[in-house]
Amino acid sequence: MKTLVWTDGSCNVEGVAGRGGWAALIERDGSTEQLVGSAVETTHNRMELTAVCEALERVDGAIEVRTDSTYIAKCFSEGWHIRWRRDDKWRGSNGPVKNRDLWERLFALVDDDAKDVSFVWRKRGKEANNKIVDRLSRDASKSHPEVPMSRTSRTPALVDPAPRPRVRRARPAPAWRSFPPAEMAAHLLATPTIADVAWTAESRVRGESRADFVVRILGPAAPAA
């Protein structure tokens, strides 16, 4: 009797880059078995491949793998696996084959004389068991402890467990505030661009405007500040 296997992989669930999960459902002899797992610093394709490998390592005989991954289905339907391993070059149309370690693991399982494996592509969500493995893989991904990841390098981001409180540094007081009143009044006349907020913060002016202060210090004949 043929064993049916549904597989799926998920990655970047809830926006956490590089965090993934995989799931497989094995149906044989009137019973079903579920397999799940998770990983960090991974990709969607690696989770898809892992799900298939984990399932095939549990069963022998005639096996039909049902996957919604065109990446896996086309590898066998279009003979990618033959081209990749020809002369051990492992090159595709876009350069060196990615995930070679998992592909080699999968090919070894497919080539096993104790197995007769076929792959069938199924559109996502069209079968009840496909929906189940989709949910299981997403749940497995979310169950893994969150690790903040860099979206560009896919490496763990540095996290300060106890951020230091931000310290506000006091700005140095303007030099003119240390002048004697007469010199300060003369400076105000010579520097009309002194900000009003700096002037009103001066404790010695008792709420006076700059002009009133200058008149009080230098006399009514003083020019306006």
Side-chain angles (χ1 to χ4, degrees), residues 79-146:
W80 298 353
H81 61 307
I82 298 174
R83 296 200 308 272
W84 292 350
R85 294 192 288 179
R86 184 179 298 146
D87 301 324
D88 199 36
K89 289 184 178 180
W90 284 85
R91 295 189 64 83
S93 58
N94 296 320
V97 174
K98 296 180 180 179
N99 306 313
R100 177 173 172 175
D101 58 327
L102 288 173
W103 282 118
E104 288 183 326
R105 179 183 173 188
L106 176 56
F107 294 159
L109 291 165
V110 172
D111 293 342
D112 187 344
D113 292 337
K115 307 179 194 297
D116 179 12
V117 184
S118 61
F119 292 85
V120 178
W121 180 78
R122 287 287 193 268
K123 189 174 182 179
R124 180 182 297 274
K126 290 299 183 180
E127 291 183 328
N129 286 341
N130 176 264
K131 293 179 181 180
I132 291 174
V133 291
D134 176 69
R135 175 179 55 80
L136 290 173
S137 67
R138 291 177 63 84
D139 288 347
S141 174
K142 290 187 289 186
S143 69
H144 200 288
E146 281 198 24

Side-chain angles (χ1 to χ4, degrees), residues 1-182:
M1 181 179 293
K2 181 180 291 186
T3 298
L4 298 181
V5 175
W6 287 265
T7 63
D8 203 0
S10 300
C11 195
N12 306 334
V13 175
E14 297 183 344
V16 182
R19 188 182 70 180
W22 59 267
L25 190 152
I26 303 171
E27 186 177 280
R28 55 181 170 178
D29 300 329
S31 64
T32 60
E33 179 182 4
Q34 295 178 356
L35 307 174
V36 296
S38 60
V40 292
E41 298 186 58
T42 190
T43 65
H44 183 88
N45 284 334
R46 288 191 68 82
M47 293 293 90
E48 294 277 8
L49 285 165
T50 299
V52 177
C53 291
E54 292 287 341
L56 292 182
E57 288 174 350
R58 304 295 282 277
V59 294
D60 290 324
I63 308 165
E64 180 179 294
V65 177
R66 298 182 178 182
T67 175
D68 58 18
S69 169
T70 56
Y71 180 61
I72 294 175
K74 285 188 175 183
C75 174
F76 294 96
S77 65
E78 298 184 5
W80 298 353
H81 61 307
I82 298 174
R83 296 200 308 272
W84 292 350
R85 294 192 288 179
R86 184 179 298 146
D87 301 324
D88 199 36
K89 289 184 178 180
W90 284 85
R91 295 189 64 83
S93 58
N94 296 320
V97 174
K98 296 180 180 179
N99 306 313
R100 177 173 172 175
D101 58 327
L102 288 173
W103 282 118
E104 288 183 326
R105 179 183 173 188
L106 176 56
F107 294 159
L109 291 165
V110 172
D111 293 342
D112 187 344
D113 292 337
K115 307 179 194 297
D116 179 12
V117 184
S118 61
F119 292 85
V120 178
W121 180 78
R122 287 287 193 268
K123 189 174 182 179
R124 180 182 297 274
K126 290 299 183 180
E127 291 183 328
N129 286 341
N130 176 264
K131 293 179 181 180
I132 291 174
V133 291
D134 176 69
R135 175 179 55 80
L136 290 173
S137 67
R138 291 177 63 84
D139 288 347
S141 174
K142 290 187 289 186
S143 69
H144 200 288
E146 281 198 24
V147 178
M149 305 295 291
S150 162
R151 291 187 180 275
T152 54
S153 66
R154 295 191 182 278
T155 56
L158 296 178
V159 179
D160 186 351
R164 295 181 180 179
R166 187 174 180 179
V167 178
R168 294 183 178 274
R169 297 182 180 276
R171 295 182 178 180
W176 56 267
R177 285 187 176 177
S178 64
F179 294 171

